[in-house]
Amino acid sequence: MRFLYHFECDDYLLALAHFEESEEELWSHFSVLRDAYETYLSQYHLPKRRFEFLRTRLLLKTLIGREVWVSHTEEGKPYISDESYSLSISHAGDYVAVMLGKTVPVGVDVELKREKLFRVQHKFLGKEESALVEELEDREMRLRLLLLHWCAKEAIFKRYEKSLPEFSEEIMILPFDFQKEEGVVHAVAEPNDKKIPMTLKYKTLGDLALVYTID
């Protein structure tokens, strides 16, 4: 496991890591909850799902200093069973991002740049957002902006769970300087017809984008 990004403040703790370990190597890091983890994973035979589970638990153990059990709400939002932190998790290939909220709910998303975003942009962009993307002549810049919009909306969605069912209509990303390697994103979320201003931060590392809520 190699840390690519790590940040901690009074409100939250955030980490992004890249993994190259085999499943056997990952298992070697667990003892206290190993039996429970093995029982849980007995229902999953796809290597992708098993790797995501073990990588996340190893990253959590490293950050918190102990093995933890992660449960899920009825809506699918993960939480640490002892409720010591609020939790958000994201995976992209061999990358895992974990965000732990000390005092606030949190949302994080990590994604790799992919052409598919062009085909599905109508599903997550509003009219104003779409117009900003289409104004860009450079295809790579359009893809970069789409990637950051997608990650920002995913992070907000995770922050609010199921109260934001429509990305394109209920989450609006305001114009921002997306050409830097890192910066701030402002957005407006509208759960239950209430307009809530949101602030997020983003960081890009090559084809990888990380976006997370900070309020």
Side-chain angles (χ1 to χ4, degrees), residues 149-181:
H149 270 76
W150 173 263
C151 289
K153 293 199 175 191
E154 277 281 354
I156 294 172
F157 181 78
K158 292 176 181 179
R159 163 72 168 73
Y160 281 102
E161 300 183 55
K162 292 294 184 178
S163 58
L164 288 166
E166 296 294 334
F167 274 12
S168 62
E169 297 178 5
E170 297 190 12
I171 305 174
M172 173 63 70
I173 306 300
L174 304 180
F176 65 101
D177 185 354
F178 66 94
Q179 298 190 40
K180 299 178 180 179
E181 291 186 357

Side-chain angles (χ1 to χ4, degrees), residues 5 7 12 144-145 148-149 152 156 172-187 197-204 210-215:
Y5 186 67
F7 181 79
Y12 60 86
R144 178 184 176 86
L145 186 54
L148 291 173
H149 270 76
I156 294 172
M172 173 63 70
I173 306 300
L174 304 180
F176 65 101
D177 185 354
F178 66 94
Q179 298 190 40
K180 299 178 180 179
E181 291 186 357
E182 55 187 307
V184 175
V185 179
H186 294 286
M198 298 284 299
T199 305
L200 307 93
K201 286 188 176 180
Y202 77 84
K203 184 174 182 62
T204 56
L210 173 73
V211 183
Y212 54 97
T213 61
I214 58 173
D215 63 6

Side-chain angles (χ1 to χ4, degrees), residues 31-47:
S31 57
V32 177
L33 292 178
R34 176 165 180 152
D35 289 345
Y37 289 168
E38 288 180 335
T39 299
Y40 179 83
L41 283 180
S42 64
Q43 62 185 308
Y44 295 103
H45 302 291
L46 292 176

Side-chain angles (χ1 to χ4, degrees), residues 16 56 88-92 95-99 108-111 158:
L16 170 65
T56 300
S88 185
I89 299 167
S90 185
H91 310 92
Y95 302 91
V96 178
V98 163
M99 191 171 188
V108 65
D109 192 58
V110 60
E111 297 285 349
K158 292 176 181 179

Side-chain angles (χ1 to χ4, degrees), residues 110-135:
V110 60
E111 297 285 349
L112 287 162
K113 186 170 63 178
R114 50 203 169 107
E115 290 287 316
K116 179 182 177 182
L117 289 172
F118 285 121
R119 300 194 298 273
V120 300
Q121 66 182 73
H122 64 282
K123 295 183 178 180
F124 66 91
L125 291 185
K127 292 181 179 179
E128 295 179 11
E129 296 164 330
S130 183
L132 288 175
V133 172
E134 295 305 318
E135 285 178 1

Side-chain angles (χ1 to χ4, degrees), residues 44-79:
Y44 295 103
H45 302 291
L46 292 176
K48 179 178 183 292
R49 181 68 183 88
R50 298 174 64 85
F51 272 115
E52 288 180 348
F53 180 97
L54 293 172
R55 289 166 174 170
T56 300
R57 272 56 182 185
L58 177 54
L59 184 51
L60 281 169
K61 178 184 177 182
T62 303
L63 295 175
I64 299 175
R66 56 187 168 83
E67 295 170 31
V68 295
W69 185 259
V70 176
S71 300
H72 293 79
T73 65
E74 292 182 359
E75 293 81 12
K77 184 176 177 64
Y79 66 93

